[in-house]
Amino acid sequence: MRKMTLMLLGVLILMFSCKSPEARRPVTQKSGSYINEAIERNKKIVAAEEEQIQAIIEEDSTNEYISSPNGFWYYYNEKDSTTTTTPDFGDVVEFDYDLKTLDGQTIYSSEELPTRTYVMDKEKLFSGMREGLKLMKEGETVTFLFPSHKAYGYYGDKKKIGRDVPVISTVTLHKITEENKTQNQ
């Protein structure tokens, strides 16, 4: 009888000591206010940068600026009207470029940056440059004005370019090698 009572007592203890787990509630709850604040801050940054770029364009009467649908501005230093070939996905391009601040201070000169060989859309390159190269033909030199979100953005390049720095870049496209030609070699 004693064994039976102990077993019954043990079963009862096990039954009543186990209960379903309860969800833990967070100590603090955050709303989407941080995201909304970040969106507003970024809109202000973009507007201020575009204002600066528009002021540069208005002051410069010697060049004809073109507004890209991709969110940057450019003008041709040297334009080639005889060829029609622009780089496509997978094509290999060779180009030189420099980077300056909007007030003209050199960040990286073309001598500091070696001639770059880039496979279109298959390698890392900041979005403005990637989109700008697609507008160019072999032998052309173009000056681009990139707002920071089209250049190095919030993080910069972790060397000479800080966060949210719009840049001016003069790019010379030396050579375009089409993808099917590089595969056949």
Side-chain angles (χ1 to χ4, degrees):
M1 174 96 175
R2 195 169 192 189
K3 281 187 180 183
M4 184 75 124
T5 308
L6 284 174
M7 280 188 17
L8 183 60
L9 184 62
V11 170
L12 287 173
I13 289 173
L14 283 175
M15 282 179 43
F16 289 110
S17 67
C18 297
K19 65 177 188 174
S20 62
E22 291 181 23
R24 295 182 352 188
R25 303 281 175 229
V27 176
T28 59
Q29 292 182 347
K30 294 193 180 212
S31 65
S33 64
Y34 173 76
I35 292 172
N36 294 336
E37 290 170 10
I39 290 170
E40 287 306 311
R41 188 193 80 223
N42 288 338
K43 284 181 181 179
K44 288 177 185 174
I45 289 170
V46 169
E49 290 174 0
E50 287 181 359
E51 244 178 67
Q52 285 179 293
I53 290 171
Q54 288 303 323
I56 291 169
I57 291 171
E58 288 172 13
E59 288 177 20
D60 185 2
S61 60
T62 59
N63 296 303
E64 185 181 326
Y65 287 84
I66 301 166
S67 176
S68 163
N70 296 313
F72 57 87
W73 294 261
Y74 63 99
Y75 65 86
Y76 287 92
N77 301 57
E78 293 178 35
K79 187 171 183 165
D80 184 358
S81 57
T82 59
T83 58
T84 59
T85 306
T86 57
D88 289 323
F89 178 85
D91 290 350
V92 178
V93 294
E94 289 180 25
F95 64 98
D96 286 319
Y97 68 107
D98 64 6
L99 293 169
K100 298 177 184 173
T101 61
L102 290 184
D103 60 1
Q105 294 179 7
T106 301
I107 301 170
Y108 293 108
S109 68
S110 57
E111 290 80 29
E112 286 179 86
L113 299 168
T115 298
R116 176 86 190 258
T117 301
Y118 170 70
V119 181
M120 292 299 296
D121 297 326
K122 291 186 176 183
E123 297 179 53
K124 278 188 158 187
L125 189 64
F126 67 89
S127 68
M129 182 68 76
R130 196 170 52 241
E131 294 159 356
L133 286 169
K134 292 177 186 176
L135 301 171
M136 297 179 70
K137 300 171 195 156
E138 236 176 63
E140 290 185 332
T141 300
V142 177
T143 298
F144 295 99
L145 285 79
F146 297 117
S148 65
H149 67 277
K150 286 293 175 182
Y152 289 90
Y154 182 76
Y155 295 104
D157 74 342
K158 298 187 173 131
K159 294 176 189 164
K160 291 184 176 182
I161 301 173
R163 65 192 266 184
D164 298 324
V165 175
V167 296
I168 297 174
S169 181
T170 301
V171 182
T172 302
L173 182 58
H174 298 295
K175 186 177 178 184
I176 301 171
T177 306
E178 294 178 21
E179 181 180 28
N180 57 7
K181 286 183 181 177
T182 59
Q183 290 177 349
N184 293 335
Q185 292 178 353

